[in-house]
Short mmCIF file of all heavy atoms in Angstrom, two decimals:
data_model
loop_
_atom_site.label_atom_id
_atom_site.label_comp_id
_atom_site.label_asym_id
_atom_site.label_seq_id
_atom_site.Cartn_x
_atom_site.Cartn_y
_atom_site.Cartn_z
N ALA A 82 3.75 20.70 -19.11
CA ALA A 82 5.02 19.97 -19.09
C ALA A 82 4.81 18.46 -19.20
O ALA A 82 5.68 17.73 -19.69
CB ALA A 82 5.79 20.29 -17.80
N GLY A 107 0.11 -11.57 -9.84
CA GLY A 107 -1.21 -11.01 -10.11
C GLY A 107 -1.18 -9.60 -10.64
O GLY A 107 -2.20 -9.08 -11.08
N MET A 109 1.69 -8.36 -12.63
CA MET A 109 2.72 -8.15 -13.65
C MET A 109 2.15 -7.72 -15.00
O MET A 109 2.87 -7.21 -15.85
CB MET A 109 3.57 -9.41 -13.80
CG MET A 109 2.84 -10.62 -14.36
SD MET A 109 4.00 -12.01 -14.46
CE MET A 109 2.95 -13.27 -15.17
N GLU A 113 -1.11 -3.32 -19.07
CA GLU A 113 -2.06 -3.47 -20.17
C GLU A 113 -3.48 -3.12 -19.73
O GLU A 113 -4.24 -2.48 -20.47
CB GLU A 113 -2.03 -4.90 -20.70
CG GLU A 113 -0.70 -5.30 -21.32
CD GLU A 113 -0.70 -6.74 -21.79
OE1 GLU A 113 -1.74 -7.42 -21.67
OE2 GLU A 113 0.34 -7.19 -22.30
N GLY A 173 -12.36 11.94 -10.48
CA GLY A 173 -12.77 10.56 -10.34
C GLY A 173 -11.56 9.65 -10.33
O GLY A 173 -10.43 10.09 -10.57
N PHE A 222 2.24 -25.13 -0.96
CA PHE A 222 2.42 -24.96 0.48
C PHE A 222 2.21 -26.29 1.20
O PHE A 222 2.95 -26.63 2.13
CB PHE A 222 1.47 -23.89 1.02
CG PHE A 222 1.93 -22.48 0.75
CD1 PHE A 222 1.37 -21.74 -0.27
CD2 PHE A 222 2.93 -21.91 1.51
CE1 PHE A 222 1.80 -20.44 -0.53
CE2 PHE A 222 3.37 -20.61 1.26
CZ PHE A 222 2.80 -19.87 0.24
N ASN A 262 -11.97 -9.55 -4.95
CA ASN A 262 -12.33 -9.10 -6.30
C ASN A 262 -13.78 -9.46 -6.62
O ASN A 262 -14.49 -8.71 -7.29
CB ASN A 262 -11.39 -9.71 -7.33
CG ASN A 262 -10.04 -9.02 -7.36
OD1 ASN A 262 -9.95 -7.82 -7.16
ND2 ASN A 262 -8.99 -9.78 -7.62
N VAL A 297 -16.68 5.30 -15.24
CA VAL A 297 -16.32 6.34 -14.26
C VAL A 297 -16.70 7.72 -14.79
O VAL A 297 -17.08 8.61 -14.01
CB VAL A 297 -14.82 6.26 -13.88
CG1 VAL A 297 -13.92 6.90 -14.94
CG2 VAL A 297 -14.58 6.95 -12.54
N ALA A 315 -25.44 -2.61 0.73
CA ALA A 315 -24.37 -3.13 -0.12
C ALA A 315 -23.46 -4.07 0.65
O ALA A 315 -23.06 -5.13 0.14
CB ALA A 315 -23.56 -1.97 -0.71
N ASN A 331 -10.48 -13.63 5.72
CA ASN A 331 -9.95 -12.27 5.77
C ASN A 331 -10.99 -11.22 5.39
O ASN A 331 -10.82 -10.04 5.69
CB ASN A 331 -8.74 -12.14 4.84
CG ASN A 331 -7.49 -12.76 5.42
OD1 ASN A 331 -7.17 -12.57 6.58
ND2 ASN A 331 -6.77 -13.54 4.62
N ILE A 436 -18.60 -17.09 13.00
CA ILE A 436 -18.06 -16.24 14.06
C ILE A 436 -18.26 -16.97 15.39
O ILE A 436 -19.39 -17.30 15.75
CB ILE A 436 -18.75 -14.86 14.11
CG1 ILE A 436 -18.68 -14.19 12.74
CG2 ILE A 436 -18.11 -13.99 15.18
CD1 ILE A 436 -17.31 -13.86 12.24
N SER A 438 -17.61 -17.48 19.67
CA SER A 438 -17.43 -16.75 20.93
C SER A 438 -17.16 -17.78 22.02
O SER A 438 -17.25 -18.98 21.81
CB SER A 438 -18.68 -15.92 21.27
OG SER A 438 -19.81 -16.76 21.42
N VAL A 459 -16.71 -30.33 15.20
CA VAL A 459 -16.72 -30.40 16.67
C VAL A 459 -15.47 -31.18 17.06
O VAL A 459 -15.27 -32.31 16.62
CB VAL A 459 -17.97 -31.08 17.21
CG1 VAL A 459 -17.92 -31.18 18.73
CG2 VAL A 459 -19.23 -30.33 16.77
N ILE A 551 -3.19 -19.56 27.99
CA ILE A 551 -3.23 -21.02 27.80
C ILE A 551 -1.87 -21.61 28.13
O ILE A 551 -0.82 -21.04 27.81
CB ILE A 551 -3.59 -21.36 26.34
CG1 ILE A 551 -4.92 -20.68 25.93
CG2 ILE A 551 -3.70 -22.87 26.14
CD1 ILE A 551 -5.21 -20.78 24.44
N ASP A 560 -16.39 -25.94 18.76
CA ASP A 560 -17.73 -26.38 18.37
C ASP A 560 -18.27 -25.38 17.36
O ASP A 560 -18.94 -24.40 17.72
CB ASP A 560 -18.63 -26.47 19.60
CG ASP A 560 -20.01 -27.06 19.28
OD1 ASP A 560 -20.34 -27.17 18.08
OD2 ASP A 560 -20.75 -27.40 20.22
N LYS A 599 1.29 0.52 17.41
CA LYS A 599 0.77 1.49 18.39
C LYS A 599 -0.60 2.04 17.99
O LYS A 599 -1.39 2.44 18.85
CB LYS A 599 1.76 2.65 18.53
CG LYS A 599 3.08 2.28 19.20
CD LYS A 599 4.03 3.47 19.23
CE LYS A 599 5.36 3.09 19.86
NZ LYS A 599 6.32 4.23 19.83
#
Side-chain angles (χ1 to χ4, degrees):
M109 66 180 181
E113 296 178 2
F222 281 102
N262 283 325
V297 80
N331 283 315
I436 306 296
S438 61
V459 178
I551 305 170
D560 186 346
K599 291 177 182 177

